[in-house]
Amino acid sequence: MVSNIAVALVGLSLFLSGMKMVSSSMKQMASRQMRQMFAQWAGNPVGGFIGGVFSGAIFQSGSNTAFIMSSLVASGFIPIRNALPVIAAANIGTAALVFLVAVIGDIKLIVMFFLAVAGIFNGLVKRDHWQHGMKALFGIGLLLYGFQTLQGGVKPLTQLEILNNFLANDIEIFLKAFIFGAIMRIITFSSSAVTMLVIMFTEIGMFGFGQAISMVYGGCVGAAIATYVLAGQLKGIARQISSFQTLFELSAGIGLYSLFILATL
């Protein structure tokens, strides 16, 4: 059991490190033109939606996009009415990596080759722009490898009685999963990380549908809490935009969770 726990912790560290590497590398690739790009995207509804989805995929968090848009509005680059659709669409973009993990399945060998190729090219290329791109690809491979390693370490632990009790389908268990999802969202700073963990727990049989959906909704509430705390020093229009994101995430999490609980009664 100790070895399984060690494998699970290693997988979790690789998963979180890979996610952070992807986000930081993409930020470095676009940092010089990011403000101009957001300003252009927000100029029309279609561009704002596409730009919001793209930014959500880059940052893996709608909160990060909300803070960027807050600074643009506060600086007078764009009006607040153009910023809000971008922020809302960013929450859709956070599903990009989740979709990749759901589709890719158990192909650890391919992920290892992907890691190897990305790592070799990262060491060979000289231009900063290409290096950031290779680091982003390496990060994707790292998080996928970490995800599968974590899955392999956790699966034997599901035979423990204390975890089997967690599979019971009742309101108390759903609430625990909801709170766990909120905590994990605050710790990882990523909505995608929470959802990918839900996928893993479901695939290995640790979670049923009720726990899985409750944890996802809890992640929304955790995102709202994180946004509210990080926006504590903001004022004026910037504060209003952050409040929009907070209310968006909070209403989605609590509202959908409440409807789910009502449906199970």
Side-chain angles (χ1 to χ4, degrees):
M1 184 179 74
V2 176
S3 61
N4 291 328
I5 294 175
V7 171
L9 290 175
V10 169
L12 180 62
S13 66
L14 293 175
F15 172 76
L16 295 177
S17 297
M19 180 161 288
K20 185 175 182 180
M21 186 179 294
V22 173
S23 180
S24 61
S25 297
M26 294 300 289
K27 287 178 186 178
Q28 289 173 339
M29 288 178 65
S31 59
R32 296 179 181 178
Q33 300 177 342
M34 184 63 73
R35 294 172 69 91
Q36 291 85 348
M37 290 171 61
F38 272 105
Q40 291 176 358
W41 288 337
N44 64 83
V46 177
F49 178 82
I50 295 175
V53 172
F54 180 70
S55 66
I58 291 176
F59 299 121
Q60 291 303 302
S61 172
S63 302
N64 289 335
T65 302
F67 289 124
I68 292 176
M69 298 308 293
S70 297
S71 65
L72 291 175
V73 173
S75 302
F77 278 91
I78 57 175
I80 188 171
R81 65 177 180 274
N82 291 349
L84 299 183
V86 177
I87 297 172
N91 293 280
I92 300 175
T94 58
L97 278 178
V98 176
F99 178 78
L100 180 62
V101 169
V103 171
I104 200 168
D106 186 17
I107 50 174
K108 182 175 287 188
L109 185 61
I110 295 178
V111 172
M112 292 174 68
F113 276 113
F114 185 86
L115 269 172
V117 172
I120 290 172
F121 276 97
N122 180 49
L124 293 177
V125 295
K126 302 300 181 181
R127 294 183 178 180
D128 290 340
H129 188 77
W130 285 104
Q131 279 190 335
H132 296 322
M134 289 299 103
K135 285 181 180 178
L137 292 177
F138 185 81
I140 293 175
L142 192 65
L143 73 88
L144 291 175
Y145 183 76
F147 178 83
Q148 295 191 334
T149 302
L150 176 61
Q151 188 178 48
V154 171
K155 190 171 184 178
L157 300 179
T158 59
Q159 304 303 318
L160 298 177
E161 183 177 355
I162 188 173
L163 291 181
N164 286 330
N165 293 334
F166 194 67
L167 295 175
N169 288 312
D170 57 45
I171 302 302
E172 181 181 353
I173 296 301
F174 294 159
L175 180 60
K176 290 179 180 178
F178 181 84
I179 295 173
F180 180 62
I183 294 173
M184 288 304 300
R185 171 58 180 82
I186 294 172
I187 293 175
T188 60
F189 293 99
S190 172
S191 301
S192 300
V194 174
T195 309
M196 284 188 276
L197 290 175
V198 169
I199 292 173
M200 182 199 70
F201 290 147
T202 305
E203 285 184 348
I204 65 178
M206 182 177 172
F207 271 13
F209 174 78
Q211 293 95 320
I213 202 69
S214 297
M215 185 171 170
V216 172
Y217 294 153
C220 294
V221 174
I225 295 173
T227 303
Y228 178 80
V229 173
L230 292 175
Q233 303 301 320
L234 298 178
K235 297 180 180 180
I237 295 178
R239 179 76 177 186
Q240 293 177 20
I241 294 177
S242 299
S243 296
F244 168 81
Q245 176 67 10
T246 300
L247 291 174
F248 183 89
E249 294 165 332
L250 190 65
S251 60
I254 294 180
L256 292 174
Y257 177 71
S258 299
L259 290 175
F260 168 71
I261 293 300
L262 290 174
T264 59
L265 295 177

